[in-house]
């Protein structure tokens, strides 16, 4: 079934060629609007199942305190990074008198659209979201912004809409990690990344590639793979490790992928890090549960969550204007452990 995006007062205003303020007055039965015009607007709203957003109204036209419930969308609960971001959001929100309502997109665009509509209908005061992997249309996000609902992206940002965002420094995190591999003697470094449609994947790939070029190593397209989970890493890695000139290092887009590489290399009797160095990106709990423990880039998910909640609450309370796009970058750091020399 096709998901429908809720109608906004801006849509009604466009239909009648009038201002949003005029639509609002008509829906409130204001005598400032003619009876004929009020009736037409109200009938159109009913026919199109328009549901007024009380929170957006309070933000635009009054000093009424909005409901202190923040909607949070995460791609998946089981990923350590997203759960740590959620922890940061909850801590910051709770400390400032807000509660959170959490939903999981399961990396599906259709579910993400449904969640946005549900949050809208439940009158959340704002939404914090990391977009699903397959999201390539952004109308559901733009509708929220047009309705006056504050929106803050984290990690996977949506470049198709103008909204506040919090990201880690993916480029420098990757650049520093690959530089470490090179400085410890690695010369043929493979890259496992997510789909290039995601901004984080582009940034980490660019950091990887630029580190190679800066240190005089050629970029080899045969060493890059679209691979961002352990199962795929275990399926793909044997082919690289059986090639004529095998990689002497791997840089992976996340820890789970790196651990899949580590497991496969050990199963194929390679010594880590003597034969092959491996670096991940997250610094989750699994990074210290493998043998040897994983060298990785720490994303500082709790800090990302705290910053996202701080921006969102700023938009809700008016300390950050709704029309101001706030951008914050959380610095990464390289955690060196046993999988690199």
């Amino acid at each position: 079934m096709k998901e429908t995006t809720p109608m906004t007062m801006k849509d009604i205003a466009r239909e009648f060629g009038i201002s949003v303020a005029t639509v609002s007055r008509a829906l409130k039965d204001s005598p400032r609007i003619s009876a004929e015009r009020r009736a037409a607007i109200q009938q159109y709203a009913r026919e199109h199942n328009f549901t007024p957003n009380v929170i957006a109204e309070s933000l635009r036209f009054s000093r009424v305190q909005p409901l202190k419930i923040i909607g949070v969308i995460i791609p998946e609960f089981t990923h350590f990074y997203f759960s740590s971001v959620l922890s940061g959001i909850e801590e910051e929100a709770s400390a400032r008198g807000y509660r959170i309502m959490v939903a999981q997109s399961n990396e599906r665009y259709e579910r993400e659209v449904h969640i946005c509509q549900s949050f809208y209908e439940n009158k959340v005061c704002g939404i914090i979201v990391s977009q699903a992997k397959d999201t390539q249309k952004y109308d559901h996000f733009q509708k929220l912004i047009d309705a006056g609902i504050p929106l803050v992206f984290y990690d996977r940002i949506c470049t198709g809409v103008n909204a506040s965002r919090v990201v880690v420094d993916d480029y420098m995190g990757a650049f520093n990690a690959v530089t470490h591999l090179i400085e410890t003697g690695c010369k043929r470094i493979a890259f496992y990344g997510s789909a290039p449609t995601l901004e984080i994947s582009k940034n980490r790939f660019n950091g990887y590639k630029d580190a190679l070029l800066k240190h005089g190593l050629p970029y080899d397209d045969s060493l890059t793979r679209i691979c961002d989970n352990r199962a795929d890493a275990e399926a793909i890695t044997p082919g690289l490790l059986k090639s004529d000139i095998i990689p002497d290092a791997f840089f992976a887009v996340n820890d789970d992928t790196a651990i899949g590489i580590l497991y496969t290399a050990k199963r194929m009797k390679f010594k880590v890090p003597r034969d092959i160095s491996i670096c991940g990106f997250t610094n989750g709990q699994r990074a210290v549960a493998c043998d040897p423990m994983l060298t990785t880039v720490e994303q500082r998910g709790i800090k990302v969550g705290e910053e996202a909640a701080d921006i969102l609450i700023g938009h809700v309370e008016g300390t950050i204007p709704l029309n101001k796009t706030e951008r914050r970058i959380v610095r990464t750091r390289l955690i060196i452990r046993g999988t690199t020399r």
Side-chain angles (χ1 to χ4, degrees):
M1 180 181 294
K2 183 178 180 181
E3 299 286 354
T4 57
T5 305
M7 172 167 284
T8 68
M9 282 195 288
K10 189 172 182 179
D11 296 324
I12 300 175
R14 187 182 299 113
E15 175 67 23
F16 285 88
I18 56 179
S19 70
V20 173
T22 300
V23 173
S24 178
R25 293 188 187 104
L27 294 175
K28 292 175 181 176
D29 228 19
S30 170
R32 294 176 60 183
I33 311 299
S34 70
E36 182 180 358
R37 174 57 64 90
R38 290 202 309 267
I41 293 171
Q42 291 170 7
Q43 181 178 351
Y44 183 85
R46 284 193 299 272
E47 289 174 350
H48 292 80
N49 300 315
F50 170 73
T51 303
N53 187 306
V54 176
I55 302 309
E57 288 290 287
S58 70
L59 285 169
R60 277 196 298 267
F61 302 117
S62 76
R63 294 185 176 274
V64 174
Q65 182 68 30
L67 298 175
K68 292 190 170 185
I69 300 175
I70 298 169
V72 182
I73 305 176
I74 66 173
E76 53 183 343
F77 284 118
T78 56
H79 196 293
F80 173 84
Y81 175 66
F82 294 126
S83 65
S84 64
V85 172
L86 183 59
S87 178
I89 293 171
E90 201 281 329
E91 285 291 328
E92 180 71 13
S94 178
R96 296 172 66 173
Y98 288 74
R99 292 177 292 155
I100 64 174
M101 182 185 297
V102 186
Q104 174 182 238
S105 68
N106 273 332
E107 303 286 16
R108 289 162 46 205
Y109 163 77
E110 293 82 4
R111 182 167 174 79
E112 185 178 83
V113 172
H114 175 75
I115 293 168
C116 285
Q117 182 171 345
S118 176
F119 279 168
Y120 177 88
E121 292 169 354
N122 280 280
K123 315 302 182 190
V124 298
C125 64
I127 297 174
I128 299 172
V129 56
S130 180
Q131 73 175 53
K133 284 181 183 177
D134 65 352
T135 295
Q136 296 186 44
K137 293 188 294 184
Y138 314 117
D139 291 353
H140 55 304
F141 294 138
Q142 189 61 53
K143 286 287 187 181
L144 294 170
I145 293 170
D146 290 345
I149 299 175
L151 193 64
V152 178
F153 287 94
Y154 69 93
D155 191 54
R156 301 179 194 160
I157 63 172
C158 175
T159 58
V161 298
N162 188 30
S164 294
R165 61 198 60 179
V166 181
V167 296
V168 299
D169 195 345
D170 293 296
Y171 174 87
M172 283 307 302
F175 183 91
N176 291 335
V178 176
T179 294
H180 167 69
L181 293 171
I182 295 168
E183 290 177 346
T184 53
C186 301
K187 299 185 183 302
R188 187 170 167 81
I189 304 168
F191 174 81
Y192 283 15
S194 299
T197 53
L198 294 174
E199 198 69 16
I200 62 167
S201 185
K202 293 178 187 176
N203 291 336
R204 292 177 194 178
F205 173 74
N206 287 335
Y208 157 79
K209 188 174 181 180
D210 286 353
L212 294 178
L213 297 177
K214 181 177 180 179
H215 293 85
L217 296 179
Y219 167 69
D220 185 348
D221 186 61
S222 70
L223 293 176
T224 64
R225 297 288 187 277
I226 301 300
C227 176
D228 62 3
N229 61 75
R230 177 170 178 168
D232 287 349
E234 290 181 12
I236 291 171
T237 304
L240 276 173
L241 295 182
K242 290 177 182 177
S243 59
D244 292 337
I245 305 176
I246 66 171
D248 58 8
F250 289 81
F251 173 60
V253 72
N254 58 45
D255 285 356
D256 281 353
T257 303
I259 290 169
I261 298 166
L262 173 62
Y263 173 83
T264 303
K266 290 174 64 178
R267 180 169 51 82
M268 296 177 68
K269 307 304 180 184
F270 289 91
K271 300 294 184 183
V272 178
R274 188 189 70 187
D275 301 327
I276 296 172
S277 288
I278 302 168
C279 182
F281 205 115
T282 301
N283 196 34
Q285 295 171 340
R286 295 173 187 173
V288 294
C290 55
D291 181 28
M293 291 191 288
L294 185 68
T295 292
T296 186
V297 179
E298 185 176 50
Q299 284 183 271
R300 301 175 64 202
I302 290 176
K303 178 66 173 174
V304 170
E306 290 172 346
E307 293 289 341
D310 180 63
I311 295 172
L312 193 285
I313 293 169
H315 282 314
V316 171
E317 296 183 349
T319 57
I320 303 175
L322 274 176
N323 61 1
K324 181 181 186 297
T325 301
E326 186 84 356
R327 293 179 173 88
R328 296 183 190 174
I329 298 175
V330 174
R331 303 299 176 189
T332 59
R333 63 173 181 150
L334 182 64
I335 307 296
I336 299 172
R337 299 194 180 100
T339 57
T340 56
R341 302 167 192 165

